[in-house]
Amino acid sequence: MSHVRLPAAPPISVAGLRAGYGRIEVLHGIDLHVPAGSVFALLGTNGAGKSTLLKVIAGHVRATAGDVRIGDVPVGSRSVEHLARQGVCLVPEGRGIFPNLTVRENLRIWTYASSIPLPEVEERTYAAFPRLSERRQQAAGTLSGGEQQMLAISRALVSDPSVLLIDELSMGLAPLIVAELYQMVAKLAEGGMTVLLVEQFVTTALAVASRAAIMANGRITGEGTPAEMADAALSAYLS
Amino acid sequence: MSQFLEFTVLGLILGSVYAISATGLVVTYTTSGVFNFAHGAVGMIAAYGYWELVTHHVPAALAMVLIILVGAPLLGVIIEWLLMRRLLGDTGERPIMVTLGLLSILIGMALVVFGENRGDTLNPLVGGTFRILGVGVTSQDLVIAGAAAAIAVALRVLFHSFRLGVALRAVVDDPELLATSGASPVAMSRTGWVLGSVLAALAGVLLAQQQQTSLDTYTLALLVVSGFAAAVFGRLRSVPLTYAGGLVLGLAVIYFGSYAQPHLGSWGPDLSAALPMIFLFGVLIALPSVRLRAVGKLTTLRPPRVASGWESLVAAAAFFLVAVACSLTLSGTVVGGNSSFGVVLDHTMAYGIVGLSLVLLIGYAGQVSLCQFAFMGIGAFLMGKVAGGGSLLGLLLAVVVCAAIGALIALPTVRLRGLYFALATFAFADAAYTGIFPDTRVLGQGLNVGQIVLPGLSFGGNRAVFLLLAGAFVLSALLVLAIRRSLFGRRLVALQDSPAAYATVGLNAAFTKVAVFAIAAGLAGLAGALYGTAAGIVGTSDFDIFTGVIFVLFVVVWGVRTVSGAFLAALSFAVLTHVWTNGVGLFAGAGIVLIGWAPNGIIGMTWLSRLVPHRPGAGRRASTHDAASLVGVVDTREGDIRAAG
Amino acid sequence: MPPADALAPERTGGGGSDPVLEVRGVTVHFGGVSALTDVTLSVDRGSVTGLIGPNGAGKTTLFNVISGLQVPNSGVVVFEGRDLARVRPHRRARLGIARTFQRLELFGSLTAEDNVRVGLESSIRWWQWHRLRASFPWARDEAGDGARATGSRVVGLADRLLAGVGLAGHESEQSSAMPTGSARMVELARALAMQPKLVLLDEPGSGLDEHESEALGSLLQRLAADGMAVLLVEHDMELVMRVCDRVHVLDFGHIIASGTPDEVRADPRVQKAYLGASAGSAPAAGGDV
């Protein structure tokens, strides 16, 4: 098995993308360019298609039309697990953990996409999130929401991905925890990777983003710097 | 005291036999989410393969290696590729049907290639006997006890201390997340099936060596059935609990047989054969209820059109006339060597009524029952015993008593998940078939049912009896269709589609399920009584549990949502059992493979249903969505929100 | 739009503050995740109450607690003065609590009309033969409302309910083949068919266009005017602000604000909850850590 890793921090380009589930089309022609090494925030209301776009880039949902490339690798030709081992790391919506496995067992699974052995994976994770260290033998489903999300994002910490896709990191979490998690994201981004994040909290997302876009009804309705997008997002949410 | 020790040693050895097959079941369930009814059949094929090699002078040890490390993995890969890949994550009735189909196809193949009974025994892997605590124990017994313990320990270590084992446990919970983590869910699923097949083969060969009776296809394939109880004891997930459950069950069977059974004297039936199933039923009743939850998945399966009242009346009359014509012209024709076509037609009608009960249960309500043949047996028994046999009272009692028994079985178990409910019906069927029916006071080898006597009517000839059966089938079909069109039918379909919504519109799911199961049991009882009166003499073998399972597959293959599916299933089943007995299982198994592509059965295949004119409701706009039947489900929202909110 | 007599529950004379539902101190944990913490709110008869908050705030969990699909770790749900602890979901529905689902829970293989009929007929028990008989398609129309010469009254009612939610002409479509917006309206019609006293609507507006959403708003207001209590979870703020008499804001499992739409909109905590707080300025309430 040859898994040539993607170059560090490649750009992501999406052109004329259409995709959906079964007969229901969710994305109706998306054009988007995520610059190399940027932290890009995708904003928009529920059901706008943000998660679906992320899933297409990670290989979970196949495009029905259009082209999606990470660097110069076309996403459509690769399986999800192949992309993951090449360095595409998706932290999915909800909790990206196996609730019936212990913390340590979850970390063991993360090593599939990582080149480093389990002891070092544990070391790195517990150094970043000491709270998880105390709970290493506990079933992940019994952790608090914040701890679960820490465990989920530790995947990015241990696999040194080229592309990090994060879906609603803040879902159901208290602001303090969200802030802590986003500090980790910012730190990760400095290490050299392209980050694309979907977030419902505009301020939180724009604080870490270098660029942002707004989605509505399966289309991109605006793109620009965080400052430009802040007002547009406000009016889209609380009209 | 020494006697107690002796029983304990025997019990632990028997328990190891249960454990060795049960842990294999648990491995498959843990790694694929599928309860593999065909686990024992894989072991049976392995035992035959081993026998074949040994008779061709391959050394025993080499034969073991070839079968367990080459043949079994290959079979596992084929099973995963051909049958299971499409089912990953399916929690409905299809995985149950597919593994039952695999069971029948493997048995069918074995019957064709090796016959029902080889008349040969396998030599134990190692010879010699020991005395442990004064009990004579063969080396083979020790090998099995050791293997059972070793397998339990090895699996425990694999699942908890190796990355592969952890990933194998994870793949059922969330295949998508596993892929996101860089491991291939398909590779994991395949590994799981390979592992399961290896364990099944090991169990099959070891147990066949231990059994000092000749190789028997059915015995081997169903050997694992006793392991069901141990596996459920471990909640189908825990290897150590399953091992413990096996040992407890083994001890229970031996202690019961040695201490309790003698006290039952000649009065009590031989319960030790049925004990594992009684144990299974007990374990099932102790399981917690399934939690009602909104899953947000919509079935996109397009159901077959339901005939209107007039349409079904006309069809029923036409059907009856054709049946009469057939019976007048063809009943003398000889088929399958020695049976007359009249017998085939009689059986068709009786099986047809059972098929209708399955339409009601599986097709409308989505509940899998594997014990309709047991209700048939009870119906036949009542028909033969009440008022000297062949009375109208017997016929009525067959319906009423079976419905009551059905309600009693369903009451404690309808709250369980579909798989566990199916297992409960299987436990009942097995207990009836192995524990109750063989008793000479029940059915035994043969019970004279006697021809039916109805007031004012004489059923002198076979033809008259056939008319009675055909009439009963037609009336049952009308009943089933009327139920579907009624409020009760809408409720059944609604319950199958969304249990959560069903409760939140104010309807009691448990009551509805018990009611439909009781009605179906009553229908099967009626079928059994009529079957008995048509056959004259019936025995235990007429209501074979395995035949009953195959018949369920027939109905599913032809179309479990339609009355015509039930009839065609009954007809083809009756014909095949008379013409080519061994082909019955093959047909059912092959048909089940097809079901992955045609969820409404052969009847519901789109090219066929186009031949039937689609008549939209009077004055109604026809559906604009005339897409062909689609398999599967569509998420109604983008994304998969696991954390409710 | 909807024929009021088909949709409305029996009128209850009392107006004003008349809570039909009270939720007191409800807490729910999933493993270590606390989904709801000490949630207290009430819903008045004849009013539309909004429940808003970010994704994952616990809104659907609260609906599940009220309708009985989720047993709370602590706290009580009181409906018309009756504690609903140990009342099973279908019994709660019979008491008069109907709901729709965020992710659709339709009877997918039934037509739109039959979905509504299951709701309409849900009060029929198996021993009520005269009513059972009336549910058969060939039953004569005894009510004589002239809607159709033959066919049961139930079919007529179902069609009128569907027309009431804007689905006239779609009666015989298979519900799972309908677009999401229409399917949501089938769920709504099915819920209304039970003649509930309280209806819980989980994002009924998503999948609707501007026009339909406006019609939905009018329908909800009319239901409330007829005495029904409506608890509405919705992301379409315009709809919430227009139709709700009171709004509760749920954020990470806590109620952080309650009041009239204008009060809530002006509340800085709500702004923060929706737009995200910058680090260090977290609300006073303890978080889910």
Side-chain angles (χ1 to χ4, degrees), chain B residues 563-639:
Chain B
V563 166
S564 42
F567 172 73
L568 289 173
L571 180 63
S572 55
F573 184 77
V575 169
L576 263 183
T577 45
H578 286 277
V579 176
W580 188 35
T581 317
N582 292 347
V584 178
L586 283 179
F587 175 86
I592 283 296
V593 177
L594 198 88
I595 286 309
W597 284 267
N600 275 341
I602 295 175
I603 288 282
M605 289 170 94
T606 38
W607 59 269
L608 248 175
S609 59
R610 277 202 204 101
L611 301 179
V612 184
H614 182 86
R615 193 180 68 104
R620 290 297 173 77
R621 204 163 66 90
S623 167
T624 49
H625 300 274
D626 237 325
S629 294
L630 275 171
V631 196
V633 289
V634 173
D635 272 23
T636 52
R637 278 173 53 86
E638 71 137 335

Side-chain angles (χ1 to χ4, degrees), chain C residues 123-133:
Chain C
S123 62
I124 301 178
R125 305 272 83 83
W126 56 271
W127 62 84
Q128 295 168 315
W129 175 243
H130 60 289
R131 295 186 65 193
L132 271 179
R133 207 180 43 190

Side-chain angles (χ1 to χ4, degrees), chain A residues 49 52 60 100 105 111 155, chain B residues 163 169 173 176 180-182 638:
Chain A
T52 308
H60 282 290
N100 295 324
E105 286 170 338
T111 64
R155 182 213 311 259
Chain B
R163 186 174 77 168
R169 279 160 62 209
D173 286 345
E176 206 169 274
T180 304
S181 312
E638 71 137 335

